[in-house]
Amino acid sequence: MTKRTEISELGEFGLIDRITKDFPVANKNTIKSVGDDCAVLNAGDQQMLLSTDLLIEGVHFDLTYMPLKHLGYKAAVVNFSDICAMNAVPSQIMVSFGLSNRFSVEAVDELMDGIREACKNYKVDLIGGDISSSASGLVISITAIGYGEKENISYRSGAKDKDVICVTGDLGAAYMGLHVLEREKQEFKANPEMQPDIQDKSYVIQRQLRPEARADFIHSLKELEVRPNCMIDISDGLASELFHLHFQSKMGLKIYEDKLPMDEQTRETSLEFHIDPSTSILNGGEDYELLFTVSLEDFEKLKNHPDVSSIGYVTAFEEGVKMVFRSGNLKNLEAQGWQHFKI
């Protein structure tokens, strides 16, 4: 009898490793293939960065509370974020849709309005794509393209001993915004006459429905003449991203709970839902902030930046990924963020 292995046993990244392991690089202009936020290709004087993302209705978004214009904006921005995670800025995108007969021309216009606004804000060109019918709702696939100088590209694999671990912005807000929206959805289903009362949750909801990529910070790095030794965007939760850096850089990472940046509204909402605020940061995801490491010398240039928090430092690989809690206890972290194919 042929053995059947459930995809959930491997998980997203185990499956990627399995299906890509027999594809050796055959072209000399392929600098980086699978395994980072973007593929990297040689493009003459510069290097081309390519990233693609798939968003599926019912898996990645819920149109009960996600306006189509916001969805279009978010779909573009999450791809821009992958380019930023390589220390570059996006320049072009290609957009493909799978549409069921539930969607009108006007609905597609609204979706495109969001993509158009994102392209305008980030100075990105729409250069092509594809449209198909879908038997299962809305499917969105976007490929983002960017360019950067070879010496400026940051990979996940470059962390060095005693590097300072930094993050941009604050974390956990998008996760708590999702909790608020899901709660409102359930209350609406129970009472369709109910009017949502979410004005005091505007920040966390905005972070979930309409995130921003940190292209602004990439420009700041250039101005300060800082190149992160490694970098990744925070899409699946801080803990998951730390483990990506751990395995690909072959270095350990130690972070401190009292240094994790969180907005006060996020903290209050976490407590309201009886969730430890640090759990929201470590396992929430969809913040699209940047996690990176820099040398002590480069950190001196960044330490006064109002949007950068130092949360720890890089150690030896065998020390693993650990967090020092406010109590002083040191514990191994576990990655419990977003997992595709989870039963």
Side-chain angles (χ1 to χ4, degrees):
M1 184 177 180
T2 304
K3 178 186 176 184
R4 175 184 169 89
T5 303
E6 300 299 331
I7 293 176
S8 58
E9 292 181 36
L10 297 180
E12 177 188 3
F13 299 107
L15 181 62
I16 290 171
D17 289 342
R18 181 185 178 96
I19 65 178
T20 60
K21 65 181 180 180
D22 294 324
F23 287 86
V25 172
N27 294 284
K28 63 181 181 181
N29 64 332
T30 302
I31 308 302
K32 177 69 177 178
S33 57
V34 180
D36 218 297
D37 284 279
C38 298
V40 182
L41 307 181
N42 190 23
D45 293 337
Q46 291 187 310
Q47 292 185 336
M48 178 189 292
L49 307 170
L50 293 143
S51 179
T52 191
D53 206 28
L54 188 64
L55 299 176
I56 299 174
E57 184 179 356
V59 177
H60 301 101
F61 59 88
D62 187 333
L63 291 177
T64 304
Y65 50 72
M66 171 65 84
L68 284 168
K69 185 174 181 179
H70 283 5
L71 176 60
Y73 192 91
K74 182 175 182 177
V77 162
V78 300
N79 282 272
F80 299 167
S81 183
D82 281 334
I83 304 293
C84 295
M86 305 291 288
N87 198 28
V89 292
S91 52
Q92 293 91 16
I93 56 168
M94 301 183 74
V95 178
S96 296
F97 295 138
L99 300 164
S100 73
N101 58 12
R102 241 175 60 231
F103 294 90
S104 64
V105 171
E106 289 75 17
V108 177
D109 285 344
E110 194 173 346
L111 189 63
M112 289 304 301
D113 282 345
I115 294 174
R116 184 179 296 106
E117 184 176 350
C119 287
K120 178 181 178 182
N121 288 351
Y122 289 84
K123 297 180 173 58
V124 169
D125 298 328
L126 172 66
I127 60 170
D130 194 17
I131 295 177
S132 173
S133 61
S134 166
S136 56
L138 177 59
V139 178
I140 306 171
S141 177
I142 295 183
T143 298
I145 303 165
Y147 294 88
E149 304 297 331
K150 177 181 178 180
E151 60 272 17
N152 290 333
I153 304 300
S154 295
Y155 296 89
R156 299 176 181 180
S157 56
K160 294 178 171 56
D161 189 36
K162 296 183 177 59
D163 271 4
V164 181
I165 304 170
C166 301
V167 293
T168 60
D170 58 81
L171 305 177
Y175 181 59
M176 295 321 304
L178 181 62
H179 272 69
V180 171
L181 291 166
E182 286 288 347
R183 180 182 66 186
E184 295 301 312
K185 175 185 173 181
Q186 295 306 317
E187 291 184 2
F188 177 78
K189 287 168 68 175
N191 178 17
E193 301 300 318
M194 182 210 73
Q195 293 296 316
D197 183 19
I198 54 177
Q199 287 189 357
D200 62 336
K201 307 296 184 188
S202 59
Y203 180 69
V204 296
I205 290 174
Q206 176 264 331
R207 292 277 284 181
Q208 170 59 221
L209 295 182
R210 192 184 158 100
E212 298 290 353
R214 295 311 308 262
D216 60 320
F217 185 68
I218 302 305
H219 293 300
S220 292
L221 288 173
K222 186 173 182 180
E223 291 169 4
L224 293 169
E225 297 183 342
V226 172
R227 176 193 172 277
N229 287 330
C230 73
M231 188 153 60
I232 189 172
D233 74 335
I234 303 173
S235 57
D236 295 331
L238 177 63
S240 290
E241 314 306 356
L242 287 167
F243 274 95
H244 283 309
L245 301 188
H246 168 61
F247 287 116
Q248 296 201 30
S249 287
K250 304 301 181 189
M251 299 300 295
L253 300 104
K254 181 185 287 186
I255 65 169
Y256 293 81
E257 184 181 25
D258 62 358
K259 293 183 178 295
L260 301 180
M262 174 175 273
D263 180 81
E264 188 57 33
Q265 188 178 113
T266 306
R267 186 180 307 279
E268 292 172 359
T269 308
S270 293
L271 295 174
E272 182 182 327
F273 280 88
H274 306 291
I275 297 172
D276 185 281
S278 294
T279 299
S280 300
I281 289 177
L282 293 169
N283 301 323
E286 291 199 288
D287 291 306
Y288 300 104
E289 296 291 346
L290 296 172
L291 166 68
F292 60 98
T293 76
V294 290
S295 67
L296 287 167
E297 180 183 356
D298 274 347
F299 181 67
E300 287 298 311
K301 303 175 187 177
L302 281 173
K303 67 180 183 181
N304 294 322
H305 193 291
D307 216 20
V308 172
S309 300
S310 62
I311 62 170
Y313 59 92
V314 176
T315 62
F317 178 71
E318 56 270 18
E319 294 187 29
V321 181
K322 291 182 167 64
M323 183 164 80
V324 179
F325 287 79
R326 288 186 177 87
S327 63
N329 291 335
L330 177 67
K331 293 185 180 180
N332 292 321
L333 278 184
E334 295 181 4
Q336 299 175 350
W338 169 255
Q339 297 178 44
H340 292 276
F341 314 113
K342 186 176 180 180
I343 296 173

